[in-house]
Amino acid sequence: MSTTDTTRKPKFDATTTISSEFGIFGIPLSEQECQLVMLPVPWEVTTSYGKGASNGPRIIRQASEQIDLFDFETKTAYEAGYFMKEISEEINNKSKNFKEIAQKVIHMKTEQSDDQATIDKLTAQVNQASRELTDWVYTETKKILNAGKLFGLVGGDHSTPLGAIKAIAEQHKDGIGVLHIDAHSDTRKAYQGFEQSHASIMYNVMNLPEASRPKKLVQVGIRDFCEEEFDFIKSRSDIKTFFDVPTKQRLLKGESWASIAADIVAELPQKVYISFDIDGLDPRFCPSTGTPVIGGLSTDEVFFLFSTLAASGKQIVGFDLNEVSTGEEEESEWDGNVGARMLYKLCNWSVVTNNKK
């Protein structure tokens, strides 16, 4: 049965309709009526391998209407209302324009061009555009938070949530932790000269000014990183990384995922922001993602981790979902479907952990 059937949503006014173009999951409520509001960020300027991450918000929204709203774990959490804002064509166009510039830089470096002046000039343009994107995300996030809404971000590449994490960390002065699910550590100081690369998001997050910086970063699924990143992680007492290899070794030796999930949650403070790069999953679940890596988590393991986090009594104060991509195609129905279902769980658990009595 279609999720737009209002008999599935007993607390919604059956006379209220809203175009799916400006909502999500077929929920017929306006932004003002919804407890949770999502910001789509169609940006993929610094990606260097696969492409199509800027299409993530669109394909997730398209797939979202196929989801049955009642959820076995969170029951009718959706009745709080979820809304995704309109996808910004201005941001999308800037992404296309500056990605062309970034690709030129990457090509010149690959070809070992001796025109360093041009490389430096173009790199500076990309870095400036990325800073402006971060400022835009920060401003838009503050608007959503100031309206009293729960917040989610839908990317885009994984560079997109820097401004959002900054805004949420500033809102919660008692401190937040970031639960980072990813194949990559994303702790490079810069990548290919780009200071706000998708490969640098967590380096940038953990080097924000103290008032804007999470007090703990907990990483899960990490299986692709350089020596520089490994050294950075080991140098920081406020970072705990559950690397994929030792995690899988624990499982292969007979330890339960429940035990590992409990260890992960125990590392987090009371307030948690979830930053989810879809390539944290085994690539069979989202094969079009830009930088797939063998190994990783199953959807069931991620769902169990979310439920363990909720059962611990901790509060999800925001989240992002990134790198759901179309690859070389304009459409990717399977990736959009998986992304929509992961996003729905993030929404549900956010509401549940904030509405506990």
Side-chain angles (χ1 to χ4, degrees):
M1 185 182 295
S2 169
T3 57
T4 56
D5 181 349
T6 55
T7 62
R8 303 292 294 276
K9 310 161 191 169
K11 291 190 178 181
F12 297 158
D13 183 348
T15 66
T16 301
T17 59
I18 183 167
S19 169
S20 62
E21 182 182 359
F22 303 126
I24 196 164
F25 303 118
I27 293 176
L29 296 176
S30 68
E31 178 177 354
Q32 292 70 30
E33 294 172 293
C34 291
Q35 184 180 2
L36 190 152
V37 175
M38 286 167 273
L39 177 68
V41 187
W43 186 265
E44 56 168 311
V45 168
T46 63
T47 54
S48 54
Y49 185 60
K51 63 180 183 179
S54 60
N55 294 321
R58 176 176 58 81
I59 64 172
I60 287 173
R61 176 142 55 197
Q62 289 170 346
S64 73
E65 292 191 42
Q66 301 306 312
I67 293 177
D68 284 307
L69 295 181
F70 183 83
D71 180 73
F72 181 82
E73 294 180 298
T74 60
K75 303 301 186 286
T76 58
Y78 66 87
E79 290 177 351
Y82 309 148
F83 186 87
M84 182 188 284
K85 297 176 77 69
E86 183 178 2
I87 296 170
S88 169
E89 283 304 313
E90 180 182 359
I91 296 299
N92 194 32
N93 289 334
K94 283 185 177 179
S95 175
K96 292 175 182 177
N97 292 338
F98 284 99
K99 182 170 184 176
E100 288 184 8
I101 296 173
Q103 289 299 308
K104 185 174 181 179
V105 171
I106 293 168
H107 176 75
M108 291 179 72
K109 288 186 172 183
T110 301
E111 297 298 315
Q112 298 183 326
S113 170
D114 59 3
D115 188 357
Q116 190 61 45
T118 297
I119 291 174
D120 291 345
K121 177 182 177 181
L122 297 179
T123 300
Q125 291 176 12
V126 172
N127 286 336
Q128 178 60 29
S130 296
R131 287 191 289 270
E132 290 173 2
L133 185 277
T134 294
D135 290 343
W136 179 82
V137 169
Y138 176 82
T139 299
E140 294 301 310
T141 302
K142 293 283 283 186
K143 290 177 184 177
I144 292 170
L145 297 176
N146 290 340
K149 307 295 186 181
L150 298 177
F151 175 85
L153 181 148
V154 184
D157 73 43
H158 206 176
S159 71
T160 57
L162 179 59
I165 296 173
K166 177 183 176 183
I168 289 174
E170 289 174 355
Q171 182 190 42
H172 297 278
K173 299 187 185 305
D174 51 343
I176 67 168
V178 173
L179 173 59
H180 173 211
I181 301 171
D182 204 324
H184 308 86
S185 176
D186 290 348
T187 49
R188 296 174 186 260
K189 186 174 182 179
Y191 187 56
Q192 297 171 323
F194 304 131
E195 296 169 353
Q196 292 199 17
S197 167
H198 63 102
S200 302
I201 176 64
M202 291 305 158
Y203 177 89
N204 289 328
V205 164
M206 297 308 290
N207 281 289
L208 286 166
E210 185 175 358
S212 307
R213 184 172 67 240
K215 64 181 182 181
K216 188 72 176 284
L217 170 65
V218 178
Q219 302 182 299
V220 182
I222 310 302
R223 54 197 187 275
D224 198 19
F225 48 90
C226 68
E227 186 175 1
E228 171 196 338
E229 293 178 282
F230 184 77
D231 291 343
F232 176 75
I233 290 167
K234 293 302 180 183
S235 74
R236 296 287 294 257
S237 61
D238 53 356
I239 300 177
K240 171 65 177 179
T241 301
F242 288 81
F243 293 101
D244 201 49
V245 169
T247 298
K248 292 295 173 52
Q249 289 174 344
R250 290 174 66 178
L251 291 170
L252 291 169
K253 290 176 181 178
E255 194 168 347
S256 70
W257 178 246
S259 175
I260 296 171
D263 288 346
I264 294 167
V265 171
E267 292 286 343
L268 291 160
Q270 178 63 26
K271 294 181 177 180
V272 181
Y273 178 98
I274 299 176
S275 188
F276 189 176
D277 186 323
I278 204 70
D279 68 27
L281 295 176
D282 184 307
R284 72 180 186 270
F285 293 105
C286 243
S288 299
T289 191
T291 47
V293 184
I294 59 171
L297 304 174
S298 71
T299 55
D300 291 335
E301 287 170 333
V302 171
F303 290 162
F304 188 87
L305 179 58
F306 290 167
S307 66
T308 302
L309 177 63
S312 73
K314 293 178 181 180
Q315 177 188 5
I316 299 171
V317 295
F319 63 81
D320 61 69
L321 177 66
N322 293 281
E323 305 284 357
V324 177
S325 306
T326 55
E328 296 295 327
E329 308 296 329
E330 285 299 315
E331 303 296 334
S332 182
E333 183 177 351
W334 178 246
D335 292 78
N337 185 300
V338 172
R341 292 177 187 279
M342 305 311 289
L343 183 65
Y344 192 56
K345 283 287 191 179
L346 285 166
C347 292
N348 287 347
W349 283 122
S350 293
V351 164
V352 168
T353 62
N354 281 276
N355 290 352
K356 286 184 176 179
K357 296 180 180 179

